[in-house]
Amino acid sequence: MRIPKPLHSWNVTPKKAVSLQRRLADRIIQDPLARRPQYVAGGDIALTPDGKRLVAAWIIWDLNRRTQLEAVHVVSELSFPYVPGLLSFREAPAMINAARKLNTEPDLFMLDGHGLAHPRRLGLASHVGLFLDRPTLGCAKSRLCGSHREPGPKRGANVRLLDDGEIVGRVVRSRVGVKPIYVSVGHRITLDEAARIALACTQGYRIPEPTRLAHHYVTALRSSV
DNA sequence: GCGACAG
DNA sequence: ATCTTGTCGC
């Protein structure tokens, strides 16, 4: 897959990272997808046992056939600490490099983290979306900002995630009896589409298949690479 | 000053 | 994210 030239350097201080987020946030586009997605890329990372490197990977999920088509990965040195709100500066560089290895062009990229549901509206999914200039959505396992009511108990029940008076995401019950997932716009997609597709991608587990399979993939790789 | 805080 | 023992439920 061919990707655009980098929008900025990743070699920044946390202070500079915050200013970059403020500058990039207004570039996020919330437009409908060009077509109904078939190939959904799911991305995730895992740390090596020594905690010094990270494995970043993408798998491609065929939403029509319900099968995995491709899996690619890269290994890189950790160069940024985990700071709540600055996750993309730790994980995005490797995720973006791994995307170059994809042979199939995905219709959509799903990331393990938030998109617009971020204090400065530029979570991991949005940041990666801008760098790839592709549709992305964020699917996180827990809340970073905002507040919401408890969604109903049925699969598919969902409520809005509100932060500072803005609708920044949707809290979706992906399965009966489990904690809901947090879906938000990454880039070039609408919130309705993001929530609908994230749910359509779940196959009997709390986590949607693209992200779930990517997690399995990196977890298997971390010990042998 | 005191919590909250994606992965 | 990672580590980690027991425990609950199908």
Side-chain angles (χ1 to χ4, degrees), chain A residues 112-130:
Chain A
D112 189 16
H114 293 103
L116 288 184
H118 176 280
R120 292 170 291 282
R121 309 293 182 259
L122 199 86
L124 175 66
S126 295
H127 209 157
V128 169
L130 283 180

Side-chain angles (χ1 to χ4, degrees), chain A residues 33-144:
Chain A
L33 294 170
R35 61 176 197 140
R36 191 172 67 79
Q38 173 171 11
Y39 300 135
V40 182
D44 194 17
I45 69 101
L47 303 185
T48 52
D50 61 22
K52 293 179 177 174
R53 293 177 298 163
L54 76 78
V55 182
W58 291 104
I59 69 93
I60 293 190
W61 174 250
D62 184 327
L63 193 39
N64 292 346
R65 294 189 173 77
R66 313 245 120 187
T67 55
Q68 178 177 325
L69 294 185
E70 198 183 338
V72 297
H73 77 278
V74 298
V75 180
S76 62
E77 299 294 314
L78 269 181
S79 56
F80 201 90
Y82 171 67
V83 180
L86 299 182
L87 181 65
S88 60
F89 289 86
R90 180 175 171 86
E91 301 189 354
M95 294 304 308
I96 292 162
N97 279 325
R100 301 173 191 282
K101 296 192 167 186
L102 288 170
N103 291 310
T104 312
E105 172 73 42
D107 296 306
L108 170 68
F109 291 77
M110 180 183 292
L111 289 105
D112 189 16
H114 293 103
L116 288 184
H118 176 280
R120 292 170 291 282
R121 309 293 182 259
L122 199 86
L124 175 66
S126 295
H127 209 157
V128 169
L130 283 180
F131 264 67
L132 298 181
D133 190 22
R134 301 289 201 292
T136 62
L137 73 81
C139 182
K141 299 181 291 300
S142 62
R143 187 189 65 89
L144 172 61

Side-chain angles (χ1 to χ4, degrees), chain A residues 22 34 39 135 158 162 218:
Chain A
R22 296 208 161 96
Y39 300 135
N158 64 86
L162 225 70
V218 294

